[in-house]
Structure formats: C-alpha cells, structure tokens
C-alpha cells in the first residue's frame, strides 16, 4: 500500500457470495499504511454471515493495523455492521498468528458456539515470535445468535511469555447472553498464554431469565497463574441492559437436581510477579437461586473472587460496588 486504504461496503452488500473465512493476508499494512473496513455512508443493517468452522467468519490471521468500523462512513455511534457465525462450533472473529495493532469498533458480533473453550470472538495462538498483541475492541456488542454461546470473548494463547497475547483492551462493550445449561460460561474468559489485558467500561448482562444452570457462570474470568498486570475497571455486571440496568439478571437451578450453580462477577487466578487491579466495578441487580454448591472453594454467588496471585489493588483507587450501594 502507498497509504491508508478504506474499503467500504455498499448499501446493497450481501455476504452470500463470499468465500469464508474472510482474510486480509494479501495486503501488507503498516502503522501508516493502514486498512479500514466499514459500511459506506447511508448503509444500514449490513451483515457478514457464515457457518465457517475451520477458522472464523472474519479471520485476522497475521493481520496488523486493520480497523473494522461498523459505523457508516466511520462517523456517529450507530452499529450498522453485524459479523456473525451461525455454527455451534464456529467463531465470528479470530485473532491468530501475531494479529496485532488492530482496532475493532462499533460492530455487532453474534455467535452460538457452545464450547467452553471457544467464543464469539477468539484470541488464539501464534506461530510467530510474538502473540496477538495490542488489539482494541471498543463500543461493540458481543452477543448471542439463534441460540446462546458459552463465552463472549475467549482467549487461549501460546507460551512462553514472549508469545503471550498481551496488551489487548476490551473497552465500552456490551457483552451479553453468554449462557450454557451444561458447561461453564463467561462474558470474557482469559485462559493460559494471556497477560497484561485491560477490560474497562463494559456491561455484562442477560436479556432473559435463565433456568437450568448446572455449572459456573462468570462475567470476567482471568484464569492464568502465569499472567500478570490485568486491569478490570469501571465495568457493570448484572441486569438485563447496559449499565446493570433493566430487570434483574435472574438464574434458577432445576428443581430436584443436585448441582453447583455458582456465579462469580470477577474471578482472578493470576500470577504474582506484577499485581492486577480491580477498580470501580459495579456488580448488582441480580437474582440467583440454587440448591447446593459442592466441589468449589467459594459460595453460590460471589462478587469478586481471587483464587491465586497478586491482586492487592482492589478498590485502592476507586471502590468496587457489590449490590445497590444504597
């Protein structure tokens, strides 16, 4: 490229003739020669939809300095682009093989992946020297499709630390309707090979009541004892709308079924090299009903759990609110 390139989807665009996954590997981008994909001014309700199970609907395989912007003409706040995968083993958006420096904003991601080890949006492994680093997802909706996904965002990277997925930020997103009656579910699930993430200003909620939860649900679960310096700040967990608003997030276990239906708002199982920080989060507007909890080392409903690691910076700058605060 000789400069920044903008590709615009026209108002009549349909994705039915595309070959999936969509990739950007045939363009050499740099910090100055960037690539932006967005709807053209005036285009509304556009969708890129596949049932691809080998990679993703949109696969940022080694992509760098790519921006996906769901706003027509890149202006305003309206989310007029949906990226969706309709397969229960498919992914809407994937970062893999040093996908770095990318920006995803004002886009709706929909998926139905039922696995606890995948998600609507996935940060994967790398074959290069570095991980999938310094990516930004902001002002996006990450949600269900025809059925519910187990995870909204799922990340499992590569060791050693140099290859970890690091420096990624999830900001001001709505992550909702992540749910599984059978397996663990989470809004954001960060497993091994991830460090130095920031999750801020986002809302985690359910738009309908859930029945039959038999395992655990977490809004934010950081599960890597070798990862450090995670920042979780200013998020809203609960309710049926952004900002923990609307009616209560309601979940009820099946009558007569002995199960462990536990909830954790923010769960940290992290490293001890550099402390992680939890500031100014709100966990409220919930009704959680269960029968018994067995085989876990915390309660049926938990606001914040630190299972391991250095997480001493909890409320040291701005207190976290559990409940109404009134």
């Amino acid at each position: 490229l000789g400069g920044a390139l903008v590709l615009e989807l026209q108002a009549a665009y349909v994705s039915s003739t595309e070959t999936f996954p969509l990739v950007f590997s045939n363009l050499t981008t740099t910090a100055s020669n960037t690539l932006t994909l967005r709807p053209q001014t005036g285009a509304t309700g556009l969708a890129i939809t596949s049932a691809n199970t080998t990679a993703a609907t949109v696969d940022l395989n080694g992509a760098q300095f790519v921006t996906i912007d769901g706003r027509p003409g890149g202006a305003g706040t309206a989310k007029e682009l949906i990226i969706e995968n309709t397969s229960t083993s498919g992914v809407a958006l994937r970062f893999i093989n040093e996908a770095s420096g990318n920006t995803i904003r004002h886009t709706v991601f929909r998926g139905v992946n039922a696995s606890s080890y995948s998600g609507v949006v996935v940060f994967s492994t790398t074959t290069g020297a570095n991980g999938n680093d310094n990516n930004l997802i902001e002002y996006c909706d990450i949600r269900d499709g025809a059925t519910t996904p187990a995870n909204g965002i799922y990340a499992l990277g590569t060791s050693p630390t140099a290859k970890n997925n690091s420096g990624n930020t999830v900001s001001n997103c709505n992550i909702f309707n992540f749910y599984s009656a059978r397996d663990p579910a989470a809004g954001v699930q960060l497993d091994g090979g991830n460090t130095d993430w920031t999750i801020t200003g986002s809302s985690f909620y359910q738009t309908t009541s859930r029945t039959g939860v038999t395992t655990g649900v977490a809004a934010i679960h950081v599960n890597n004892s070798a990862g450090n310096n995670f920042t979780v700040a200013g998020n809203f967990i609960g309710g049926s709308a952004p900002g923990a608003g609307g009616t209560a997030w309601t979940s009820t276990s099946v009558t007569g079924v002995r199960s462990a239906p536990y909830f954790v708002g923010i769960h940290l199982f992290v490293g001890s090299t550099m402390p992680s920080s939890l500031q100014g989060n709100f966990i409220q507007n919930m009704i959680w009903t269960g029968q018994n909890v067995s085989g876990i080392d915390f309660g049926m409903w938990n606001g914040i759990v630190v299972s391991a690691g250095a997480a001493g910076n909890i409320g040291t700058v701005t207190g976290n609110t559990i409940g109404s605060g009134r």
Side-chain angles (χ1 to χ4, degrees):
L1 301 179
L5 173 67
V6 177
L7 301 177
E8 292 195 329
L9 302 175
Q10 298 181 13
Y13 170 82
V14 293
S15 64
S16 56
T17 58
E18 300 281 14
T19 299
F20 293 101
L22 295 183
V23 296
F24 301 96
S25 56
N26 58 332
L27 294 170
T28 302
T29 51
T30 66
S32 57
N33 297 344
T34 60
L35 169 66
T36 298
L37 174 69
R38 70 190 186 201
Q40 71 176 183
T41 300
T44 60
L46 301 187
I48 302 174
T49 303
S50 84
N52 183 277
T53 58
T54 60
T57 298
V58 175
D59 197 27
L60 297 180
N61 190 342
Q64 297 185 353
F65 308 110
V66 170
T67 294
I68 298 175
D69 191 339
R71 301 173 299 167
T77 59
K79 305 180 183 79
E80 297 295 349
L81 177 62
I82 298 170
I83 297 176
E84 182 173 20
N85 196 304
T86 60
S87 170
T88 56
S89 56
V91 173
L93 175 69
R94 183 174 71 163
F95 298 80
I96 190 170
N97 295 329
E98 293 192 77
S100 301
N102 302 295
T103 298
I104 316 297
R105 57 168 59 107
H106 294 281
T107 302
V108 178
F109 294 94
R110 303 187 65 153
V112 294
N113 196 305
S115 171
S116 293
Y117 302 99
S118 191
V120 179
V121 175
V122 168
F123 286 77
S124 188
T125 54
T126 183
T127 56
N130 301 298
N132 304 292
D133 302 333
N134 303 316
N135 298 289
L136 171 63
I137 301 176
E138 63 176 358
Y139 300 105
C140 291
D141 290 353
I142 300 170
R143 58 165 301 176
D144 55 325
T147 57
T148 55
N151 298 315
I153 296 175
Y154 179 78
L156 177 64
T158 305
S159 295
T161 303
K163 294 191 175 188
N164 281 186
N165 302 326
S166 65
N168 297 303
T169 298
V170 179
S171 175
N172 295 294
C173 291
N174 298 320
I175 303 174
F176 59 101
N177 292 345
F178 47 93
Y179 165 76
S180 174
R182 183 187 62 188
D183 298 312
V188 175
Q189 175 78 26
L190 307 182
D191 282 342
N194 291 281
T195 191
D196 295 83
W197 280 61
T198 297
I199 303 168
T200 182
S202 295
S203 294
F204 300 80
Y205 56 95
Q206 302 287 330
T207 62
T208 188
S209 61
R210 304 297 180 189
T211 302
V213 177
T214 58
T215 55
V217 178
I220 301 169
H221 187 192
V222 182
N223 182 36
N224 179 20
S225 61
N228 295 278
N229 194 33
F230 295 94
T231 297
V232 180
N235 300 287
F236 294 87
I237 298 169
S240 59
T247 57
W249 173 339
T250 302
S251 183
T252 307
S253 63
V254 178
T255 302
V257 176
R258 294 181 59 83
S259 60
Y262 65 89
F263 170 84
V264 184
I266 303 169
H267 189 182
L268 297 185
F269 185 82
V270 295
S272 56
T273 302
M274 185 177 294
S276 295
S277 178
L278 277 67
Q279 310 290 339
N281 300 286
F282 291 83
I283 306 170
Q284 55 193 199
N285 197 11
M286 297 190 68
I287 300 172
W288 191 271
T289 305
Q291 292 179 272
N292 79 301
V293 177
S294 60
I296 60 174
D297 57 358
F298 41 84
M300 185 175 71
W301 191 98
N302 311 264
I304 297 171
V305 171
V306 179
S307 294
N313 295 334
I314 299 178
T316 52
V317 178
T318 305
N320 301 283
T321 300
I322 298 175
S324 69
R326 295 189 296 271

